Amino acid sequence: MSLTFSEIAHAHKDFIQHKLQTFEDQLHPSADEDAELVTRAMFSIRNQAIKPPHYSTFSQILVCQIQDVNTAEVTINFPQKQISCSCPKTELCRHQLATILKLSQYFISLQQWLSNWRSKKSIPLHSLAAARSPENWQRMADEVLNYAVKGHQPIEPYALSALNESIRSKIQRHRPYEQEWQELYQLFMDIAILKHFLLHAVKTKTDMEHHYFQFFLENTLSRILRSIDALSKTTRLFATEPFYDALQQSVRDILFIEKGAKSFRLTLYLQFWTKLFDEKKRITNELIILEQSSDIETDLDLDVVLAIFYILLGSTSPLERVTEILDEDNVESFIEVAQYALHKGYVDEAAIILKKALPLLQTFVQDNLLPIRRQKFIRKLDKLYGQISLTEQEELGLYASFGRYGIESFSNYLLRHNRFDQWVALHQLYKSSIPYLEQCGLKDVVAQSPEIALPLYHYYAMEEIQQKSRQNYKQAVRIWRAMKNASKKAGKLDYFTSYIEAVQQQFKRLRALQEEMNKSNLLG
């Protein structure tokens, strides 16, 4: 026997109430399209457009047909907590809302729910969009954000990206029609949303290092960078200047947030000031504001930020002064500034920072930096320091600070200076594998000084033999083939022949190894 709507509703009351609350959070009464969706859902209920339910007590799946322009079919899978509709709309549709409201009416007043929802309406978003100004754009963002992101309730990190897209979709509906305004509108709103989320995260003590939060930040930064690149290549309209002033303020506010996502905030700030805000007057005014902001409480070192503007304005003496405070805590931030300085062509200014940082690198890399980040960070350092002039002593100090994580970088340095014997000694000290040796330049060593590489081939061939499997024996033979080619280049083929004969004698009991060596014709 099929159950009634009332029986189904009471059997799954918790799910229905949770879903209604979710839908209510997604629908904004100030958005015309959302108000229309709610009105049409209520119309379906009042006009009894929802046909009697089809419900399976075994699977606990409800199917409802709703008479509309085209009949729609809503399916609710209660065990899996999923709701879907057969209509073309991919997001929340009026049919899903109507079904949930139909079920909710057995324990709430729909008229009261509708009145409460409509009471949250303020100025319609389309009215704010029509009166174009930075203040109205900000009010649009605040209107949607304050409704979607509740006061002191932390946002679950896994829900952050979906919530962000929902908010952006509502705001994007009011994007200007003129193409020359669209990119600026998108950038303005992305910054407004980002600022709101970061401030909310600080207020609710959200873990900004959580991988879902980092994913959200990376996606947001990528989108912002595309907008910055697009705007930096277009001519600005005089009417857009107030919007750039508002962006400047918002980006500074993000930089000075109390704590969290420090590297992200600095990167974002740098991108604006090295790509978009390039007028000298704007740069000078920002520097004045920063120099007067020493009392702001933030986890970011203000001297790092000041260094950016001293570089942009070519002020060498103040730059040297602020780099005096370099230590293990802020060295990474200063290195990021140096990277952007090199990107903009300020080589001398970048050299000041990088040379000041040099004595701190070993402690920072080995003690302060997470092991998972060391390899990538060292490659970054190697690339940056390769763009400035260093003495031999400074170069050796740089590679010594890398430790075992900088073997590839130090190998390249030794190759550049034709120190092949030291290259071999390095890789005898830090054992790895033949593929890694080739990555570090083994072929260059063999081409220039083949006899030096022979001990390495011997070591790694012996390592394979110790594994005592046919597959490893095959790999040992491949290494010996490479060793044979190196011996030919060194004019030591007789030595190689004696070497292989000695190996065969040493391991004469390993029949599989003997077979692989004979098949390879190493002595031919």
Side-chain angles (χ1 to χ4, degrees):
M1 185 177 78
S2 181
L3 298 181
T4 64
F5 273 117
S6 175
E7 291 170 321
I8 297 169
H10 285 94
H12 301 285
K13 181 178 179 180
D14 290 342
F15 170 79
I16 294 164
Q17 288 181 320
H18 173 75
K19 206 65 186 176
L20 180 60
Q21 185 62 53
T22 302
F23 286 171
E24 184 178 339
D25 292 342
Q26 292 179 32
L27 298 167
H28 197 296
S30 297
D32 291 347
E33 58 279 0
D34 289 352
E36 176 69 14
L37 188 147
V38 172
T39 299
R40 297 189 68 172
M42 293 295 290
F43 180 83
S44 296
I45 297 171
R46 291 194 186 104
N47 287 273
Q48 299 182 353
I50 305 177
K51 295 181 179 181
H54 296 278
Y55 180 75
S56 169
T57 54
F58 175 74
S59 62
Q60 297 184 50
I61 294 177
L62 169 67
V63 178
C64 293
Q65 287 190 337
I66 302 176
Q67 290 178 326
D68 204 340
V69 179
N70 294 307
T71 301
E73 190 172 89
V74 174
T75 303
I76 302 179
N77 187 322
F78 289 108
Q80 295 186 11
K81 303 184 184 306
Q82 293 177 346
I83 182 170
S84 61
C85 182
S86 62
C87 75
K89 192 169 182 180
T90 56
E91 301 172 352
L92 169 60
C93 66
R94 60 181 179 270
H95 310 116
Q96 294 179 47
L97 179 61
T99 304
I100 292 297
L101 287 172
K102 176 72 174 177
L103 293 166
S104 299
Q105 70 179 345
Y106 296 100
F107 35 84
I108 68 168
S109 166
L110 292 189
Q111 191 58 46
Q112 186 63 47
W113 178 87
L114 183 60
S115 297
N116 292 340
W117 183 77
R118 285 177 173 169
S119 68
K120 300 172 185 176
K121 181 177 180 179
S122 57
I123 299 175
L125 298 183
H126 69 85
S127 299
L128 294 172
R132 189 175 298 165
S133 70
E135 293 77 18
N136 280 349
W137 280 11
Q138 186 62 54
R139 287 181 68 189
M140 286 174 61
D142 291 341
E143 179 71 20
V144 177
L145 283 160
N146 290 333
Y147 186 82
V149 183
K150 306 304 178 187
H152 295 283
Q153 297 177 12
I155 304 170
E156 293 295 339
Y158 68 83
L160 193 57
S161 293
L163 179 60
N164 177 47
E165 289 307 311
S166 174
I167 292 169
R168 289 186 73 249
S169 68
K170 293 188 188 311
I171 292 175
Q172 285 295 96
R173 292 169 187 162
H174 304 281
R175 188 175 64 168
Y177 291 112
E178 302 93 332
Q179 187 173 0
E180 59 268 26
W181 282 90
Q182 290 179 359
E183 201 69 59
L184 180 58
Y185 178 85
Q186 180 170 306
L187 178 60
F188 190 100
M189 292 304 175
D190 279 335
I191 290 296
I193 295 169
L194 173 65
K195 177 182 171 182
H196 192 96
F197 276 139
L198 288 173
L199 288 171
H200 185 269
V202 171
K203 182 168 61 176
T204 58
K205 299 181 180 179
T206 300
D207 180 13
M208 295 192 203
E209 297 303 317
H210 192 285
H211 59 276
Y212 279 121
F213 203 98
Q214 290 294 313
F215 178 75
F216 158 72
L217 292 179
E218 289 171 10
N219 281 353
T220 302
L221 183 61
S222 297
R223 192 164 50 246
I224 289 172
L225 293 185
R226 285 195 295 269
S227 294
I228 289 175
D229 288 338
L231 289 169
S232 65
K233 297 171 185 175
T234 59
T235 304
R236 290 185 195 175
L237 301 174
F238 178 75
T240 62
E241 283 306 306
F243 294 87
Y244 281 93
D245 293 340
L247 274 173
Q248 180 178 342
Q249 175 68 53
S250 293
V251 171
R252 189 190 313 125
D253 290 343
I254 290 173
L255 180 75
F256 285 152
I257 283 174
E258 182 182 342
K259 60 182 177 181
K262 182 165 66 172
S263 178
F264 168 85
R265 285 156 43 213
L266 180 61
T267 299
L268 178 74
Y269 190 78
L270 282 167
Q271 290 290 345
F272 271 89
W273 284 100
T274 57
K275 292 184 178 179
L276 192 61
F277 300 149
D278 54 1
E279 315 98 302
K280 187 171 182 179
K281 181 179 178 181
R282 190 182 291 275
I283 293 171
T284 303
N285 290 340
E286 183 75 3
L287 176 59
I288 293 171
I289 294 171
L290 292 173
E291 289 179 331
Q292 297 172 350
S293 303
S294 57
D295 58 338
I296 292 178
E297 292 186 9
T298 176
D299 60 352
L300 197 66
D301 195 324
L302 184 59
D303 285 320
V304 175
V305 185
L306 290 172
I308 301 167
F309 291 90
Y310 294 144
I311 290 170
L312 294 174
L313 294 171
S315 303
T316 304
S317 297
L319 177 63
E320 291 177 338
R321 176 176 54 78
V322 296
T323 55
E324 291 296 333
I325 55 91
L326 258 165
D327 56 31
E328 287 86 357
D329 294 329
N330 60 26
V331 66
E332 185 174 10
S333 297
F334 268 104
I335 285 171
E336 196 161 348
V337 172
Q339 180 180 17
Y340 283 102
L342 288 169
H343 177 72
K344 297 291 287 186
Y346 297 99
V347 178
D348 292 340
E349 288 79 2
I352 291 172
I353 296 174
L354 292 174
K355 289 195 176 188
K356 287 280 187 180
L358 199 53
L360 304 169
L361 292 180
Q362 184 164 357
T363 302
F364 176 74
V365 170
Q366 305 300 331
D367 298 339
N368 294 34
L369 202 62
L370 292 174
I372 195 171
R373 294 187 56 213
R374 289 175 188 169
Q375 192 78 49
K376 184 177 180 180
F377 186 74
I378 282 170
R379 287 176 181 167
K380 175 180 175 178
L381 288 178
D382 189 36
K383 183 178 180 181
L384 293 179
Y385 279 93
Q387 297 176 63
I388 66 171
S389 298
L390 294 175
T391 65
E392 183 177 354
Q393 185 176 359
E394 287 172 335
E395 284 185 310
L396 291 174
L398 172 68
Y399 295 116
S401 69
F402 293 170
R404 67 180 302 106
Y405 295 94
I407 293 174
E408 185 177 351
S409 300
F410 191 38
S411 296
N412 294 331
Y413 167 80
L414 294 173
L415 291 177
R416 288 197 301 271
H417 291 81
N418 297 323
R419 299 180 180 179
F420 303 117
D421 54 342
Q422 294 180 23
W423 188 97
V424 171
L426 174 68
H427 288 281
Q428 286 177 323
L429 179 63
Y430 296 103
K431 307 295 193 300
S432 54
S433 65
I434 289 293
Y436 184 71
L437 292 183
E438 291 175 346
Q439 183 179 325
C440 292
L442 177 60
K443 291 181 180 178
D444 294 329
V445 174
V446 172
Q448 298 294 324
S449 185
E451 70 280 1
I452 290 179
L454 299 182
L456 286 175
Y457 286 121
H458 165 71
Y459 172 80
Y460 288 103
M462 293 300 106
E463 285 290 294
E464 296 294 339
I465 291 174
Q466 295 303 318
Q467 303 304 313
K468 295 184 178 179
S469 75
R470 186 173 288 273
Q471 189 60 39
N472 291 105
Y473 296 154
K474 289 180 178 180
Q475 183 59 29
V477 169
R478 294 189 191 100
I479 294 172
W480 282 324
R481 286 201 196 101
M483 184 178 179
K484 182 177 181 180
N485 292 333
S487 299
K488 282 183 180 179
K489 289 181 180 179
K492 293 191 173 184
L493 196 56
D494 290 341
Y495 161 79
F496 178 76
T497 300
S498 301
Y499 166 79
I500 290 297
E501 289 174 349
V503 169
Q504 285 182 316
Q505 180 63 31
Q506 181 180 355
F507 299 104
K508 61 184 178 180
R509 295 180 180 274
L510 300 178
R511 188 175 63 182
L513 174 62
Q514 297 292 331
E515 290 174 357
E516 294 299 328
M517 294 179 72
N518 291 332
K519 283 193 296 184
S520 66
N521 196 26
L522 288 170
L523 296 176

